Amino acid sequence: MTFFSVGKDIDIMSNDERNLEVLRYSSGADSTLGILSENGPDGREFLAYTLEDEFREKKVSAETRIPEGTYEVKLRTVGGYHSRYLTKFGADFHKGMLHVRDVPGFEYILIHTGNTDENTMGCLLVADTSQQNITKDGFIGASVNAYKRIYPSLAQWLLDGNTLTITYIDYDNPRN
């Protein structure tokens, strides 16, 4: 399914490479809302709504979204989130946390469940619903449902030895 096109050329990925995109569309006082999609030969396919911390010129630990750019995603099989998700989802489902790697000035950026900026600490939250963050704090809902839908194919892709990248695109004019 093609969800939208934003006027940028679509790079066709090789058979062993997949690219996710986060199109950030709304900056609020404490949160950033976006859309997670996957680039493919037929365009962009919608996967989930996203929520991150807000934009800041100067990073504040656990309170700042990561910079615009493209990063590699790997599975992280250590740490507190990994242990909690093993317990929550079971070993048949959970193979490791989706870990956004090599972000300058950031560590342990994960893709996981949650509903508000209080749940993110710089990470990318995914969900099936989104509420505006203009007159109130941003909120995304049905996060576990979205995660359970998108996680298995991404984790298996990585387990099979393939490359997964994620590109963050700022269409939200956070500096205004």
Side-chain angles (χ1 to χ4, degrees), residues 145-161:
N145 292 345
Y147 187 80
K148 288 168 80 173
R149 186 182 68 255
I150 68 173
Y151 175 85
S153 72
L154 297 175
Q156 189 59 55
W157 181 258
L158 291 168
L159 287 170
D160 290 343

Side-chain angles (χ1 to χ4, degrees), residues 109-123:
I109 302 299
L110 306 174
I111 299 171
H112 61 85
T113 63
N115 302 109
T116 71
D117 70 297
E118 296 299 317
N119 305 128
T120 175
M121 296 180 64
C123 294

Side-chain angles (χ1 to χ4, degrees), residues 14-100:
S14 67
N15 288 338
D16 62 347
E17 188 174 337
R18 289 169 76 176
N19 180 256
L20 304 176
E21 281 187 350
V22 177
L23 174 66
R24 293 166 166 160
Y25 65 83
S26 182
S27 287
D30 290 320
S31 63
T32 300
L33 297 175
I35 295 171
L36 178 67
S37 61
E38 183 173 355
N39 259 346
D42 297 324
R44 290 170 177 89
E45 180 180 342
F46 173 81
L47 297 178
Y49 292 100
T50 65
L51 188 140
E52 304 170 76
D53 278 317
E54 68 272 21
F55 170 83
R56 293 177 188 270
E57 288 287 344
K58 186 174 179 188
K59 181 186 176 202
V60 174
S61 182
E63 292 291 332
T64 307
R65 74 185 197 191
I66 70 170
E68 185 175 40
T70 300
Y71 308 99
E72 190 168 10
V73 178
K74 298 277 192 180
L75 288 175
R76 180 174 166 80
T77 57
V78 296
Y81 265 95
H82 174 65
S83 297
R84 285 191 296 277
Y85 276 49
L86 270 176
T87 300
K88 181 176 185 173
F89 295 111
D92 287 342
F93 178 86
H94 183 72
K95 306 301 181 193
M97 297 304 300
L98 296 169
H99 179 201
V100 181

